[in-house]
Amino acid sequence: MLDLDGLDFTKGHGLVTVVAQDARTGDVLMVAHADREALERTLATGEMHYRSRTRGLWHKGATSGNTQRVVALRADCDGDTVLARVEKAGPACHSGDESCFGPGRWDGLAALDATLADRAARALAPDEKPGYT
Amino acid sequence: MLDLDGLDFTKGHGLVTVVAQDARTGDVLMVAHADREALERTLATGEMHYRSRTRGLWHKGATSGNTQRVVALRADCDGDTVLARVEKAGPACHSGDESCFGPGRWDGLAALDATLADRAARALAPDEKPGYT
């Protein structure tokens, strides 16, 4: 899936940049770093592990439950960045947002879908005008 | 569109990480870096500028023609990474690939579409069996 020996850890002083992307929606979820050990754990467990400069080896979701299951891992052309396509069990960001870049482009559609389902499920009150969402 | 004063350039020694994403397909195209000047030029021109550790200030596509027009710029939760949604004028990677992570997930569909159009446009030879793509 990913050849660790093909990665260039030297430019990042032992780390590569990791971009986590939602495999279902295409949303970019977060950008973090990993060393060889974090990637070995990722390959062994099928769940994303990172290396935080402050927290050390970090199994994403170990405490929050918001794990990221690996769908695909791919290195970039010069081997210093890994693109991880993942299925996330919950919000990717510690802020509670679905991604660290705020709402994803599909979140708006999901919210609209929920609104439509809610409107469809309940009858209008006698004095209520229909809405247009 | 993007508040440069809200970015944290300190962790990256004057640089932030930039993830360029195809605004149309969602494919992650490349990961590079930018300093304040590169982002100012990006905002002023509407085309992606990066700061390369080796090449200095870099107007993407200035020589290759493969520019990236800015659709949206968004900082991540801690301000050290920028997600750039772009429309690309050509392949993002110096290798000629559409992205630095190899073929995008939509490239396969585009290839299939081209095959189907080609098959539909020509008649079968008398001794030719129909294919299933």
Side-chain angles (χ1 to χ4, degrees), chain B residues 55-123:
Chain B
R55 301 169 59 172
L57 183 68
W58 168 37
H59 176 195
K60 167 72 181 159
T63 50
S64 68
N66 299 328
T67 51
Q68 296 174 336
R69 193 180 71 77
V70 176
V71 174
L73 297 171
R74 201 185 282 179
D76 75 344
C77 54
D78 59 357
D80 63 357
T81 303
V82 172
L83 176 62
R85 295 204 177 98
V86 303
E87 284 182 358
K88 62 186 174 66
C93 188
H94 71 283
S95 68
D97 280 336
E98 289 303 312
S99 99
C100 291
F101 298 93
R105 65 173 176 162
W106 296 105
D107 291 351
L109 288 178
L112 177 61
D113 188 54
T115 301
L116 291 173
D118 181 61
R119 294 277 167 86
R122 66 188 183 88

Side-chain angles (χ1 to χ4, degrees), chain A residues 27-28 97-108, chain B residues 74 83 85:
Chain A
D27 287 333
V28 174
D97 279 337
E98 290 302 314
S99 99
C100 291
F101 299 93
R105 64 175 175 161
W106 296 106
D107 291 351
Chain B
R74 201 185 282 179
L83 176 62
R85 295 204 177 98

Side-chain angles (χ1 to χ4, degrees), chain B residues 9-33:
Chain B
F9 291 99
T10 57
K11 272 191 281 184
H13 306 289
L15 302 176
V16 292
T17 302
V18 182
V19 178
Q21 181 180 34
D22 190 310
R24 190 174 56 83
T25 65
D27 287 334
V28 175
L29 299 173
M30 55 184 279
V31 173
H33 295 88

